[in-house]
Structures are given as C-alpha cells and as structure tokens.
Amino acid sequence: MRRFNLALLAAVTLATGLAATPAQAHAGRALGIENCTVAACHFDVPPGTYDVKVLLGADTASSTAVSGETRRSLLPETAVAAGERVARSFTVNVRTPEGEPTGPDGTPGLDLALGGSAPALADIRVTPARHARQIFLVGDSTVCDQPGDPYSGWGQQLPQYLRKGVSVANYADSGESTVTYLSEPRLWATVQPLIRPGDLVLIQLAHNDKTTDEATYRANLETLVAGVREKGGNPVLVTPIVRRWFNSDGTLNNNTALLVNGLGVDHPAVIRSVAAAEDVPLIDLTAKTKSLVESLGVEGSKAIYLYNEKRDNTHTSVHGATVYAGLVRDELVARHLVPKGLVRVG
C-alpha cells in the first residue's frame, strides 16, 4: 500500500469547501489544489492543451510521480528531501476519447494521478497552454495509450521526457495498418485537421500491414507525409520496434523479428527508402531496439516485452515502453527535432 503524506491530506481537507465547485467556475485564474484528493486531481476543463505546474514535497521525505488521462506518464518519480519543495512543470493534451481514438471516451476534463513510493503534492496550478508545440503520434498498439496493465505503448511513456512547452497528442490505435489508419474516420481524418504549422507528426505503422503489398505500403506512407506537410507540420518517419524473436545464435536477423510481412515486404527498408526519397527525418527504431534487445539477450529482454506475463514478444511492458520512449527522446534531441531545453534527460 502506498504511503501518502499527511501534509497533502491536510491541504485537501481545508479545501473541501471549494472542491464541490466545478473548476470551470474558476475561469480567469489558475485551477489549483482545491481540485485534488489524496491520490488524484480532477480539473473540469474542455479539450485542449494545458500547462501544469506542481510543487512537490512535505515535512518528511517524499517521492512523487504524476500520470494522467489514460495511464500517460507525465512526470517521472521525483525525490524531495524532508522539509524541501521542488517545482516541476509539464504540458498535457486533453481530448475525447482520452486514450485510443477508437476506444471509449473516458472521463471529461483533465485527470491526474499521484504515484511514486511516497507521494506528496504541496500545490498545483493548471492553466491553458498559450504557445505549446504538439507532437502527434500516428501508430499502432506498440505506440498507443494502452488502457490497462500490463500493456504500455512507447507513446504513453514519452510525455514524461518532455518539459513545459511541448505536449504529446497520441493518436496511435491498436490493430491499425497504414490502410486502416487512412480509411478510418476517427484516425487520419481526425488527426490531420488538428495539425498546426511547426507541429511534429511521428508515424510508426507496420506491425499490422501483414497483407499490404509494397507499392500500397509505400503509397500510404507518402500520403501521410504529404498530408502532414499540407498543414505545415513536420513529418517524422519511425521504423517499427522489433519483435522479440531470437535465432539460435542470439540474433534477431529473421523476418518475424524485423517486420518483413508474408508477402516479403520489408517494412523498415521501405520506411527508410521513403524517408530518403521524401527528405523526411527518420528515427530508425528498428535498428535501435534490435541492438538493445540483442545486447540484453534471451533472458534479459523478457522484461522489455510481456513475455513473462503473456508470452507476448510484440507488446511492451511499462518498463519496456519507458526504455523505448527514451530511445525516441534521444533521437528527437540528436536530430534537433525538439529543442534540448524542452526535454528531460536522465
């Protein structure tokens, strides 16, 4: 059972008279801790992008993490010494549906959960973000905001690596291929109109293109790239994470692991080719994850995926998704796609 700091409980108790007032009634000023309980906060705000500033700490030592909406990691666990206070800020995207685009609507407004070994929230302020940059994610189940344990997509863990001023709008959806993503009205037809000049759009679709021929797959990627550019956004092509499918020699040099479909279409190779032809930045997550999984070996790599829980060598655990999100973070910085000052390192 988690240990919650009594200072937060006292602050919330003093605020109970305000908690019954809908947050929208506080228009014109920041929404604060009156909207919180010991374990969570709820802000009655419309869809949009919001800056959140938290003040962590209490009279005793604490360690607090913040997640929100559909299990998105928004702030990594932060230790604060007894008697001290530490301020942290992040920007969060609020939308309906709050998780996968074809999933349930979820709860209206902004919901935050307090986690960590000894959570302590001294104060919180939520305000509309004025000049936030958006990172849109177009992908499948290995990227999406997974609704339940033990699953997690790397896009679900990416927000914790970003500071105030940039948020993640994760429109990845389980089971989607390039074909279905373009044809389903709740997916590309919904995402494209939201893209603003300067926004990044990371595209990782391959796992479910099992019967897509090479010409169609290439054309679909080109359509997505063109659609992003039409809105003034910046497309980034991402090769898919590997499947944990080892050869006897301890390598992943096989079609199953490296996403070559039943028609012989080498998805990562096509993505690399389109990126080069269209002059689009490439994050070669296939190469990055292959190197990491092979270095961990047959046993060590089990914790990255859901092998222990589900005998699943495709989908990642929270730990694995966090590690893979870190790889994406590193590439965003290395390729100057996100300013270094807007990224959390370490």
Side-chain angles (χ1 to χ4, degrees):
M1 183 175 180
R2 288 183 177 133
R3 176 170 61 86
F4 293 97
N5 197 282
L6 293 178
L8 173 59
L9 180 58
V12 173
T13 301
L14 290 173
T16 52
L18 294 173
T21 305
Q24 287 179 340
H26 297 271
R29 69 177 179 86
L31 305 177
I33 203 167
E34 69 273 9
N35 297 284
C36 300
T37 66
V38 173
C41 302
H42 173 75
F43 300 94
D44 183 17
V45 296
T49 306
Y50 295 88
D51 290 332
V52 179
K53 182 177 182 180
V54 295
L55 189 65
L56 307 176
D59 293 339
T60 57
S62 64
S63 187
T64 309
V66 180
S67 60
E69 299 296 86
T70 303
R71 302 175 62 239
R72 297 181 220 159
S73 294
L74 300 171
L75 186 71
E77 188 160 354
T78 303
V80 181
E84 296 186 3
R85 301 290 186 271
V86 170
R88 293 287 186 270
S89 297
F90 55 87
T91 302
V92 59
N93 172 256
V94 177
R95 62 184 183 273
T96 303
E98 68 178 26
E100 294 182 84
T102 64
D105 286 352
T107 305
L110 170 61
D111 288 287
L112 302 176
L114 306 177
S117 58
L121 178 68
D123 199 9
I124 186 169
R125 290 289 182 267
V126 176
T127 55
R130 301 301 181 190
H131 303 291
R133 187 181 185 186
Q134 206 88 269
I135 299 179
F136 288 92
L137 302 182
V138 169
D140 53 36
S141 59
T142 66
V143 185
C144 75
D145 287 349
Q146 290 280 0
D149 284 326
Y151 295 89
S152 182
W154 62 255
Q156 200 163 20
Q157 302 301 324
L158 185 61
Q160 66 184 296
Y161 291 118
L162 303 172
R163 300 180 187 274
K164 175 185 174 183
V166 59
S167 71
V168 175
N170 191 350
Y171 282 85
D173 197 73
S174 293
E176 307 301 343
S177 65
T178 58
V179 176
T180 61
Y181 204 94
L182 285 167
S183 63
E184 165 59 59
R186 290 171 291 181
L187 298 173
W188 184 238
T190 296
V191 175
Q192 191 194 19
L194 301 175
I195 300 170
R196 299 172 302 179
D199 286 341
L200 287 180
V201 183
L202 275 57
I203 302 165
Q204 186 214 279
L205 287 167
H207 280 87
N208 300 301
D209 279 281
K210 298 173 184 178
T211 60
T212 309
D213 64 79
E214 182 170 341
T216 301
Y217 185 64
R218 179 181 295 271
N220 289 344
L221 292 175
E222 292 170 346
T223 295
L224 290 165
V225 167
V228 174
R229 285 174 165 165
E230 179 184 327
K231 293 296 182 178
N234 299 314
V236 180
L237 290 176
V238 183
T239 60
I241 67 170
V242 293
R243 293 192 177 99
R244 183 190 162 278
W245 197 267
F246 281 94
N247 299 321
S248 59
D249 62 0
T251 70
L252 299 176
N253 298 320
N254 60 76
N255 288 354
T256 300
L258 300 181
L259 283 297
V260 178
N261 75 9
L263 301 179
V265 180
D266 186 331
H267 292 113
V270 176
I271 295 169
R272 295 178 190 118
S273 174
V274 172
E278 299 292 327
D279 194 23
V280 174
L282 174 74
I283 294 178
D284 198 340
L285 206 51
T286 304
K288 293 286 184 182
T289 56
K290 178 179 185 291
S291 177
L292 176 62
V293 170
E294 288 180 340
S295 72
L296 292 172
V298 173
E299 289 301 317
S301 62
K302 287 179 179 178
I304 294 289
Y305 292 83
L306 292 172
Y307 180 85
N308 294 324
E309 299 87 348
K310 301 284 186 178
R311 294 298 188 268
D312 187 334
N313 292 307
T314 297
H315 298 96
T316 49
S317 63
V318 171
H319 165 67
T322 302
V323 171
Y324 284 178
L327 297 178
V328 175
R329 179 270 317 269
D330 293 345
E331 287 294 291
L332 291 174
V333 173
R335 298 180 181 283
H336 307 288
L337 297 170
V338 175
K340 193 173 184 179
L342 294 178
V343 174
R344 300 183 198 279
V345 179

